């Protein structure tokens, strides 16, 4: 379990992440961790989310901004 700030994005907003554009449904910010990759899964309030693209490092290894897509 990791504390996180989770923001639900409205509708099918096109969000600029590290790649060109994404159909992410959530933005998640957590403390930096070396083990978070695009193959990880996020669970929040009983929902499962897939990480969309690579997590973006904020600051010098302080935080990670993760764009995610809700499953189902």
């Amino acid at each position: 379990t990791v504390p996180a700030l989770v923001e639900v994005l409205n509708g099918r907003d096109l969000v600029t992440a590290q790649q060109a554009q994404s159909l992410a449904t959530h933005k998640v910010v957590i403390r930096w961790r070396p083990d978070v990759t695009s193959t990880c899964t996020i669970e929040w309030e009983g929902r499962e989310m897939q990480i969309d693209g690579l997590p973006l490092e904020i600051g010098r290894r302080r935080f990670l901004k993760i764009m995610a897509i809700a499953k189902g």
Side-chain angles (χ1 to χ4, degrees):
T1 303
V2 176
L5 171 68
V6 179
E7 181 181 337
V8 178
L9 302 176
N10 293 328
R12 296 183 63 145
D13 290 336
L14 290 176
V15 178
T16 302
Q18 283 185 301
Q19 64 267 14
Q21 291 182 334
S22 158
L23 289 177
T25 58
H26 294 75
K27 177 173 75 172
V28 181
V29 178
I30 63 171
R31 286 201 176 270
W32 185 86
R33 297 173 53 118
D35 59 344
V36 177
T37 67
S38 60
T39 60
C40 294
T41 301
I42 297 170
E43 187 175 320
W44 177 68
E45 292 188 353
R47 292 187 240 166
E48 218 174 76
M49 295 183 268
Q50 174 183 348
I51 295 177
D52 185 28
L54 295 173
L56 177 63
E57 187 176 310
I58 300 173
R60 298 184 117 190
R61 294 188 172 183
R62 288 199 58 181
F63 299 99
L64 287 175
K65 180 169 91 173
I66 301 165
M67 304 312 290
I69 302 170
K71 294 182 178 180

